[in-house]
Amino acid sequence: MTTSRQQPHAGHPRQNPAGSPAGSAGTTPDAAAAGADRPRGRRLTGIDIARGLAILGMFVAHLGDDGPEGRHDPEWFVVADGRSAALFALLAGVSMALANGRGTLPAGAVLARARLTTLVRAGILLLMGVFLVGLGTPVLVILPAYAAMFVLALPFLGLARAWLLLGAALVAVVSPTVIFLLTTERADGGPSPLASVTGEADPVELPMDVFATGAYPALVFLAYILLGMAVGRSALSSLRVQLALLGAGVALGVLGWGTSRLALDALGDGASPLARRLVSAGAHEYSTLEVVGNCGSSLTVIAVCLLLTRPGNPVGRAFAAVLSPVAAAGAASLSVYSFHIVAIFLLGNDIVWYPVSNAVLLWFIAVALAAAWLWRRFLGRGPLERLLRAATAAVVGPAPPPAGQRTHRPSVGA
């Protein structure tokens, strides 16, 4: 993700991350399932590792060294640009499904409670995001947009996988197209419809807009949320499902980025700004083809992480053990994300604007992974994850026991 420095270097904005959308099976801080302070039950370690990798990508985007031309140094760090935010959003959708029935669709009172819980969490994430934005770091904080994504996802919480996939496809096509039509200058050089109304420069980026023109447009990111919910309603422990995710991920990546490359070459340099914007798949362009490509990379990462950590064989258990610090960071993604912004605030914005090497990046990664592993090992759930869960329970009430589970009552003589 090219994300988060505001940009002393052309083409490399440094204001963004992908922060993240725990309950059993890898639910995230922003979509935490009910449970004790210590995680209970089997988590999908691969989901936690995928989320942890998204955090590392966010660190790279914010703190990695830039070469003399404003490019990543080393250049392969470009893999983090745009993809980390998409992976975080897609995993937030996975977590929403895992926290709300998994393969069993919520309905009736259960669905109403799920929507209320999601709405409350969105409000808490918005407050956290406003606080982090107020620190004034050069990081484009994703949490306010995350809150908007959660609100947009409310009508979809009770839908089956096929409808979620259809919704994701429609959002990926319609949202970028409508936004680009409204915010991109015309072929004759005239202002876009929205620029004509607001007086803003094209392409229009309205201040404080988290839905359409901001750094993380929720109307576009909803496609990742819905696809993630469809993934979360799948049997993620199944080898067949994992291989299907891998195949779909590779196919979508080739379709999105390959089609974009061919279309840009066919259009040539004389194409209108709107035409080039519609077919560009560059990081943070938020076109349909970028969304398709990012969905592909996200599914591929999730599939590989699940395949590498299958618990039924020694190799899977070995990978899970080796990558446990990354999994711990992923399980506490809200805390790791938020604290790294606070650390940037305390250390000064120059570590983002003017990195002279990747030493600061490596220190951030080492401290984050060590702290997350130790916290999870001895204290369980992350600190902000606990706060989010407690605040949600205070408003919504504790989660009811699973169906069929009775509350223990002592006998009369006890």
Side-chain angles (χ1 to χ4, degrees), residues 7-391:
Q7 190 163 359
H9 310 300
H12 188 60
R14 284 278 180 149
Q15 250 198 289
N16 115 339
S20 175
S24 66
T27 46
T28 55
D30 28 289
D37 283 340
R38 287 181 178 275
R40 292 183 181 180
R42 174 182 291 180
R43 293 178 64 94
L44 289 173
T45 303
I47 296 296
D48 283 336
I49 291 173
R51 195 178 303 109
L53 292 175
I55 289 180
L56 299 186
M58 173 187 65
F59 282 19
V60 168
H62 301 169
L63 300 162
D65 188 19
D66 291 326
E69 297 180 359
R71 301 166 68 97
H72 289 291
D73 185 15
E75 289 193 9
W76 66 267
F77 275 3
V78 72
V79 299
D81 290 351
R83 299 172 184 88
S84 298
L87 178 57
F88 258 87
L90 197 148
L91 285 167
V94 173
S95 297
M96 292 175 74
L98 293 177
N100 294 296
R102 304 192 189 184
T104 303
L105 298 181
V110 175
L111 178 58
R113 188 182 191 281
R115 286 175 172 156
L116 178 58
T117 299
T118 302
L119 183 61
V120 171
R121 286 173 179 151
I124 297 170
L125 289 173
L126 178 61
L127 293 176
M128 290 182 178
V130 169
F131 170 78
L132 294 176
V133 170
L135 295 180
T137 67
V139 174
L140 291 170
V141 178
I142 197 174
L143 294 187
Y146 235 46
M149 295 174 213
F150 277 30
V151 173
L152 292 177
L154 292 177
F156 301 91
L157 287 180
L159 295 186
R161 189 168 48 202
W163 290 108
L164 292 170
L165 291 173
L166 177 61
L170 290 175
V171 170
V173 172
V174 173
S175 289
T177 303
V178 173
I179 291 171
F180 289 4
L181 286 170
L182 293 175
T183 63
T184 309
E185 66 180 281
R186 301 195 303 264
D188 61 5
S192 67
L194 198 55
S196 299
V197 173
T198 64
E200 298 284 333
D202 285 318
V204 176
E205 296 182 12
L206 298 177
M208 303 302 294
D209 178 18
V210 297
F211 287 99
T213 69
Y216 304 98
L219 287 170
V220 176
F221 270 66
L222 180 61
Y224 302 129
I225 297 286
L226 297 182
L227 178 58
M229 290 172 65
V231 171
R233 297 210 181 281
S234 305
L236 292 177
S237 297
S238 164
L239 177 60
R240 182 178 178 180
V241 170
Q242 293 167 4
L243 292 174
L245 290 177
L246 180 61
V250 172
L252 288 174
V254 171
L255 176 64
W257 292 313
T259 302
S260 174
R261 185 67 269 161
L262 294 174
L264 287 171
D265 289 343
L267 286 174
D269 295 334
S272 69
L274 176 60
R276 293 190 65 82
R277 197 176 177 200
L278 284 171
V279 301
S280 172
H284 299 292
E285 293 287 349
Y286 301 128
S287 68
T288 295
L289 292 178
E290 190 209 354
V291 172
V292 171
N294 285 345
C295 286
S297 64
S298 297
L299 292 181
T300 301
V301 170
I302 291 171
V304 170
C305 290
L306 289 171
L307 286 166
L308 288 178
T309 57
R310 289 181 61 80
N313 61 76
V315 174
R317 291 193 293 271
F319 269 108
V322 170
L323 295 174
S324 60
V326 181
S333 57
L334 179 61
S335 297
V336 173
Y337 173 79
S338 300
F339 291 153
H340 107 279
I341 295 177
V342 174
I344 290 172
F345 168 73
L346 294 175
L347 294 173
N349 292 344
D350 282 356
I351 67 171
V352 172
W353 286 126
Y354 308 113
V356 296
S357 72
N358 286 311
V360 171
L361 168 64
L362 295 176
W363 273 110
F364 263 73
I365 291 175
V367 171
L369 295 183
W373 187 87
L374 289 170
W375 185 284
R376 190 181 191 191
R377 174 69 177 80
F378 295 105
L379 297 173
R381 192 185 303 274
L384 292 186
E385 285 72 16
R386 293 187 184 210
L387 175 63
L388 180 63
R389 177 175 173 269

